[in-house]
Amino acid sequence: MNVFVLCTGRCGSVTFAKASTFITNFSSAHESRTFLLGEARLAYLDRPIRSG
């Protein structure tokens, strides 16, 4: 299962990503793949939580 949290600017998405690091069976990051292009941008690891 993948979890993507879409947020508007200045709404706590960085805080949410940091708090999500304590969930042990998921990986968590904030806008972690914005520098990638094409298929690589969507090649997430298993069980991601991404906010941005």
Side-chain angles (χ1 to χ4, degrees):
M1 170 174 48
N2 298 335
V3 178
F4 296 94
V5 180
L6 303 177
C7 303
T8 60
R10 303 192 51 83
C11 66
S13 59
V14 173
T15 303
F16 178 81
K18 287 182 181 182
S20 298
T21 62
F22 294 100
I23 302 172
T24 57
N25 57 339
F26 281 86
S27 64
S28 175
H30 179 263
E31 296 182 0
S32 63
R33 304 184 77 78
T34 57
F35 62 94
L36 298 171
L37 299 173
E39 290 184 23
R41 192 167 185 161
L42 301 176
Y44 289 98
L45 298 174
D46 191 32
R47 305 188 127 203
I49 296 177
R50 299 293 181 257
S51 66

